[in-house]
Amino acid sequence: GMMTSLIVATFMLLGATFFGLPVSTTHTVVGCIIGFSIAAKGFSSINWDETKNILISWVAAPLVTGAFAILLSANPFTRGYYAFSFILFVTIGIDIFFIFNKGTKNFKHFHNDVYDTKWVVPTSFGIGAFFGLLWLWPFGPLVKKKLEAKKKKKCWKQ
């Protein structure tokens, strides 16, 4: 069932992309799984409470983010530019934390003291901070220059 859902979702996404239609992978896959479950076992096979939560999140997420965009609309480029370094810090820090804390436990040559949170947390978020700082210098300024040059070039064409 899952393989069929993934194959159908792949073709649906390829078709929508070919025709330039806005499409969401998550919406497509969840819809395929629900459709396949209904076809295979009937409507009673669906956990409608969880389905309701998924549907509410699909409606609520754009509304909430849109509201924040309106509330925080003054100078969005600068805010996004600096927020991106914070996003890198948090997401990479969390990713590295889970890699160290969960993933390396399968390796026999690591000792138990390697998993100590006194070591894992600062190392993980230190790596995240490193990548966040790399965005502030040198990569962010390079991207900013390219975007500003592209914007200036676009303005000249008009």
Side-chain angles (χ1 to χ4, degrees):
M2 290 300 288
M3 186 60 132
T4 304
S5 296
L6 290 174
I7 291 170
V8 170
T10 300
F11 285 110
M12 293 284 295
L13 292 167
L14 287 171
T17 303
F18 177 77
F19 290 111
L21 301 172
V23 65
S24 166
T25 305
T26 305
H27 293 66
T28 304
V29 171
V30 169
C32 287
I33 292 170
I34 290 172
F36 183 87
S37 297
I38 291 171
K41 301 233 177 179
F43 283 94
S44 63
S45 67
I46 306 297
N47 182 342
W48 292 107
D49 289 333
E50 284 303 314
T51 305
K52 177 188 68 166
N53 291 339
I54 292 170
L55 296 175
I56 288 171
S57 73
W58 287 350
V59 172
L63 295 175
V64 170
T65 55
F68 274 108
I70 291 168
L71 293 172
L72 303 171
S73 62
N75 206 355
F77 180 81
T78 303
R79 191 176 319 101
Y81 177 80
Y82 289 108
F84 188 65
S85 67
F86 179 74
I87 291 167
L88 285 173
F89 160 67
V90 171
T91 56
I92 291 174
I94 290 171
D95 286 345
I96 299 295
F97 172 78
F98 279 109
I99 289 169
F100 282 153
N101 200 39
K102 301 274 185 184
T104 57
K105 290 187 179 182
N106 294 327
F107 296 114
K108 305 275 188 239
H109 61 276
F110 282 115
H111 301 286
N112 284 337
D113 59 341
V114 171
Y115 308 117
D116 188 11
T117 54
K118 289 182 227 167
W119 176 86
V120 171
V121 171
T123 303
S124 302
F125 287 97
I127 293 170
F130 173 74
F131 281 98
L133 291 172
L134 276 179
W135 171 255
L136 291 176
W137 187 88
F139 295 113
L142 292 172
V143 171
K144 190 174 181 180
K145 278 184 188 177
K146 286 186 178 188
L147 288 173
E148 288 171 348
K150 189 175 184 179
K151 183 179 178 183
K152 194 180 285 187
K153 189 177 181 182
K154 191 174 186 179
C155 290
W156 279 104
K157 286 183 179 181
Q158 294 176 352

